[in-house]
Amino acid sequence: MNSVKKTIIKYVLSTLVVGNTLLFLVTAYFHLLSTDAKSAVFIDFWGRFTVYSLWFIGFAIYVKYLARQPMLKGAVLAIIVINIPLFLLLAYFDKISNTPDMIVFVDFWGRITVYSLWFICYEAYRKYVGSV
């Protein structure tokens, strides 16, 4: 496959990921997602797919553009390092609402936080242990 086709595919997939993320978050924000038990499986699947897709795109951007830029890399890592205890402390002090209309956001933020932790662990492994 030539580079033009690869570029087109990257742009199309990136647009789909961003569009899907916006659609998911907007429908959640406006409470258009059903909170009944039967819909929970679909919403959970869609939410996981959205978070995973967003993280793969984010990680690819990080590796390609930010990993070699010490200041930008530091900024990304600082945001992640701040986000993890922020999320956990807000939950611990009951500042995060688990009501049916907010659970989608809490779940989304929680998954982003978990993958942030994964990201830091991967970076530490890559830097200090190396590829095996």
Side-chain angles (χ1 to χ4, degrees), residues 55-102:
W55 248 110
F56 283 125
I57 294 290
F59 187 72
I61 289 170
Y62 172 82
V63 168
K64 185 169 184 174
Y65 299 110
L66 304 178
R68 295 183 196 111
Q69 305 281 333
M71 286 186 64
L72 292 174
K73 181 179 180 177
V76 168
L77 292 175
I79 290 168
I80 291 170
V81 167
I82 290 168
N83 179 55
I84 293 168
L86 175 68
F87 179 75
L88 295 173
L89 286 170
L90 287 174
Y92 180 78
F93 290 115
D94 294 325
K95 300 298 181 188
I96 295 177
S97 172
N98 280 335
T99 59
D101 61 329
M102 291 302 294

Side-chain angles (χ1 to χ4, degrees), residues 8 15 24 27-28 36-37 56 58 74 79 85 91 111 114 117 123 127:
I8 290 170
T15 302
F24 181 78
T27 55
D36 66 62
F56 283 125
I79 290 168
R111 289 181 197 283
V114 166
L117 180 59
E123 277 294 293
K127 183 175 182 177

Side-chain angles (χ1 to χ4, degrees), residues 46-58:
W46 189 17
R48 286 174 194 254
F49 178 74
T50 301
V51 170
Y52 296 163
S53 301
L54 190 62
W55 248 110
F56 283 125
I57 294 290

